[in-house]
């Protein structure tokens, strides 16, 4: 298993999974995402996104969401998606990464801490209000310093051995025309690239 940056060819897959997961992403850009993959079968296991907010009163980086496909859950996939996103945020100069959640227990093992609503920087507080309007008043803000982020060893071990719950004998990667940048709606026969 490994986590990589999303590529343009992943856009359709991402949009389909976002719709299936009933996630609202009004500012979709595939380059903001990372994808967890099983290298043996080239099956995608999960994804996540960071979102940089630039406002007149400041800017901050938000861990917008993390999603693990059902056959891959409880195997450390989400932990490694979060790790890659926090590393990316740190590489872009953000020392603190925020997230807004109703499930703080999911994030605390990595070093995220609940934030006092009254002491949030103005743009973070404004974003929390937006998220609460969308998802409910029980959403809280959490933050982690990039240098303090850590993936517990037990999550790392599970990730090394991860396999889908729906694995079938002889399961292998199914390559599609889109994997090669071919628009199948324009291609006229099997070996036509549509150009």
């Amino acid at each position: 298993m490994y986590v990589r940056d999303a590529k343009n060819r992943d856009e359709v897959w991402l949009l389909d999974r976002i719709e299936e997961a009933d996630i609202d992403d009004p500012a979709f850009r595939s380059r903001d995402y990372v994808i967890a993959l099983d290298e043996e079968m080239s099956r995608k296991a999960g994804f996540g996104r960071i979102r940089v907010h630039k406002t007149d009163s400041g800017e901050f980086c938000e861990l917008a969401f993390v999603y693990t496909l059902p056959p891959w859950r409880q195997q450390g996939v989400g932990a490694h998606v979060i790790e890659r996103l926090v590393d990316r945020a740190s590489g872009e100069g953000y020392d603190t990464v925020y997230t807004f959640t109703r499930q703080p227990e999911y994030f605390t093992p990595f070093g995220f801490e609940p934030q006092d609503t009254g002491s949030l920087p103005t743009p973070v507080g404004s974003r929390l209000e937006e998220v609460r309007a969308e998802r409910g008043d029980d959403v809280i803000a959490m933050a982690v310093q990039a240098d303090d982020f850590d993936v517990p060893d037990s999550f790392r071990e599970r990730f090394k051995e991860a396999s889908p719950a729906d694995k079938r004998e002889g399961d292998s990667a199914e390559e599609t025309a889109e994997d090669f940048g071919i628009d199948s709606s324009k291609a006229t026969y099997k070996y036509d690239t549509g150009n």
Side-chain angles (χ1 to χ4, degrees):
M1 292 291 295
Y2 68 100
V3 179
R4 66 161 169 79
D5 291 343
K7 300 178 179 174
N8 287 341
R9 69 176 187 233
D10 297 317
E11 194 166 300
V12 171
W13 181 86
L14 279 167
L15 288 168
D16 288 345
R17 299 300 80 75
I18 288 167
E19 184 178 334
E20 287 171 10
D22 197 26
I23 297 170
D24 183 29
D25 187 3
F28 177 83
R29 296 183 325 177
S30 60
R31 67 178 175 256
D32 294 336
Y33 285 82
V34 298
I35 296 175
L37 292 151
D38 177 338
E39 64 259 21
E40 289 179 22
M41 296 180 285
S42 294
R43 282 185 65 180
K44 295 173 177 110
F47 60 92
R49 175 178 195 248
I50 59 170
R51 184 174 175 194
V52 173
H53 297 271
K54 295 182 179 185
T55 69
D56 293 339
S57 55
E59 63 181 68
F60 71 97
C61 187
E62 172 189 0
L63 174 62
F65 50 81
V66 176
Y67 185 78
T68 302
L69 277 63
W72 296 93
R73 292 187 179 156
Q74 303 297 317
Q75 299 185 68
V77 172
H80 286 79
V81 167
I82 294 170
E83 179 179 43
R84 180 67 177 252
L85 292 170
V86 170
D87 284 348
R88 181 191 279 183
S90 177
E92 292 179 15
Y94 295 95
D95 296 329
T96 305
V97 177
Y98 292 90
T99 193
F100 307 99
T101 184
R102 288 192 304 251
Q103 299 174 320
E105 65 280 355
Y106 182 82
F107 295 96
T108 53
F110 310 111
F112 280 86
E113 295 180 354
Q115 302 296 295
D116 177 31
T117 304
S119 63
L120 290 172
T122 302
V124 178
S126 297
R127 176 66 180 144
L128 176 60
E129 304 250 342
E130 289 174 25
V131 174
R132 283 181 171 169
E134 294 168 9
R135 295 189 228 157
D137 289 337
D138 56 344
V139 172
I140 67 165
M142 299 187 79
V144 67
Q145 297 298 308
D147 291 342
D148 295 336
F149 179 85
D150 185 45
V151 175
D153 290 339
S154 61
F155 289 31
R156 290 198 187 284
E157 291 305 313
R158 281 189 261 164
F159 189 67
K160 288 178 189 174
E161 304 298 322
S163 65
D166 66 349
K167 186 174 181 180
R168 299 168 298 275
E169 191 65 37
D171 202 0
S172 63
E174 180 181 330
E175 294 178 337
T176 65
E178 288 80 14
D179 289 334
F180 299 98
I182 298 170
D183 183 351
S184 59
S185 66
K186 293 181 182 175
T188 56
Y189 60 95
K190 186 176 180 177
Y191 299 105
D192 182 5
T193 62
N195 294 330

